[in-house]
Amino acid sequence: MFVPVGERAVCFIGFTLITPAVSVGNVAQLSADLIISTLDMVRLGHFHTDCLIPMAGNNPYSRGDEDTAVFSTNAEVYCRSDLQLAVLQIRTPVLPTKMKSFRKLLVSWIKASGFSRTVLLSSCHAHHRDDQQLLGSPLRYLLTQALRGDTEEMLQRLGWREMERVSAFPGVPDSDRQRLYIPGGGVTKALYNDCCSENISMVVLLLFCSEGDNVPDAFTLVNHLNDWLHLLDKPVQGSVLWRTPSSWRLLFGSGVPPLIF
């Protein structure tokens, strides 16, 4: 359940919610980090659940010694009221035996909070693409029926492509069975299907990628997101200057100790 900071009630009615799926390359989580850090979003509370691997640490978005020791957990909610934007950052994987429970918890909170739409950021194994998915941009989207119409037209004007359905039997000609296939996407497919069933307004934005240094993939994903939501002004020349959080200094561990040489 959502536990707010302090005793004041939190109202999300009409807000847009952005949340990552823990997926290949952690691209979605890195993207959420960029949004929270760049927009100076305020921490409103955390999710208390046994569905995620436990985690506790220092403030990943600290700007100096005075706020470094702020306690941080595995799932926290950040907000920018003037933009009517909330971000649920999820920092650890969902336990395999708790996948369904976590999806049920998240869907229930989204409905109860009154979000106008939810944006699920995700990623997908690039090496699983079929021939049609090798063409063009690595970005794909999915929409629930509740957002068909104006939103779909907007995304198509941006030149985005909807996630293709692939043959259930690869290599079999004239196969009529098509399925949604998101390998490496974690809960993405199941959560999308849940939101379709519950008539929740959800957009899934995902990127084909491979494991490695996925920081460039995160910048690609948030730049596409900004083209749609206009979270930050885009300069006439160049790209949006996203601010990386202080925690990224240790993204690949500390440096090599010079004493070993």
Side-chain angles (χ1 to χ4, degrees):
M1 63 176 178
F2 174 65
V3 180
V5 174
E7 299 180 356
R8 191 176 69 175
V10 178
C11 180
F12 292 116
I13 295 176
F15 276 52
T16 294
L17 172 67
I18 298 175
T19 189
V22 181
S23 50
V24 56
N26 303 110
V27 174
Q29 295 159 291
L30 294 172
S31 300
D33 267 352
L34 288 172
I35 296 169
I36 294 166
S37 178
T38 305
L39 296 179
D40 289 321
M41 301 185 78
V42 177
R43 179 178 174 272
L44 289 186
H46 71 277
F47 256 81
H48 181 69
T49 174
D50 62 352
C51 299
L52 299 171
I53 294 176
M55 187 221 78
N58 291 341
N59 181 10
Y61 312 114
S62 64
R63 300 292 173 80
D65 295 338
E66 66 279 356
D67 64 345
T68 300
V70 174
F71 192 68
S72 178
T73 65
N74 54 5
E76 296 183 309
V77 178
Y78 298 82
C79 178
R80 266 287 296 263
S81 297
D82 58 323
L83 297 176
Q84 288 197 303
L85 179 70
V87 176
L88 168 60
Q89 174 62 304
I90 300 171
R91 299 190 173 97
T92 61
V94 183
L95 291 166
T97 58
K98 297 284 188 177
M99 291 282 190
K100 187 174 182 179
S101 297
F102 178 73
R103 296 188 339 252
K104 184 177 180 180
L105 172 69
L106 188 54
V107 168
S108 176
W109 179 65
I110 290 171
K111 292 180 67 175
S113 298
F115 291 107
S116 62
R117 60 189 172 188
T118 298
V119 181
L120 179 66
L121 304 179
S122 185
S123 52
C124 181
H125 280 300
H127 63 271
H128 280 275
R129 288 176 293 178
D130 64 6
D131 290 346
Q132 62 178 337
Q133 292 172 335
L134 289 168
L135 302 175
S137 167
L139 180 82
R140 294 294 187 274
Y141 74 86
L142 290 166
L143 289 174
T144 60
Q145 191 60 42
L147 271 182
R148 295 284 178 182
D150 292 343
T151 300
E152 186 173 26
E153 292 177 6
M154 171 64 74
L155 301 186
Q156 289 177 350
R157 283 200 296 271
L158 290 171
W160 296 1
R161 292 175 59 180
E162 188 169 6
M163 186 66 173
E164 299 89 348
R165 268 65 174 177
V166 300
S167 174
F169 305 103
V172 178
D174 301 324
S175 174
D176 293 330
R177 295 189 60 183
Q178 300 289 311
R179 61 171 178 159
L180 186 60
Y181 185 50
I182 309 178
V187 301
T188 302
K189 178 181 174 181
L191 184 57
Y192 167 74
N193 288 334
D194 289 344
C195 289
C196 288
S197 300
E198 295 289 337
N199 199 35
I200 292 175
S201 299
M202 171 178 276
V203 181
V204 178
L205 297 185
L206 60 88
L207 204 70
F208 291 116
C209 69
S210 301
E211 292 280 5
D213 181 359
N214 295 100
V215 170
D217 296 316
F219 279 102
T220 298
L221 188 56
V222 291
N223 280 325
H224 277 99
L225 180 66
N226 192 62
D227 288 341
W228 171 37
L229 296 183
H230 305 293
L231 303 175
L232 295 169
D233 293 332
K234 188 174 182 180
V236 177
Q237 293 183 337
S239 58
V240 174
L241 297 177
W242 299 96
R243 184 168 57 204
T244 59
S246 56
S247 55
W248 283 24
R249 293 197 299 266
L250 300 175
L251 201 58
F252 299 102
S254 55
V256 178
L259 293 178
I260 70 172
F261 301 104

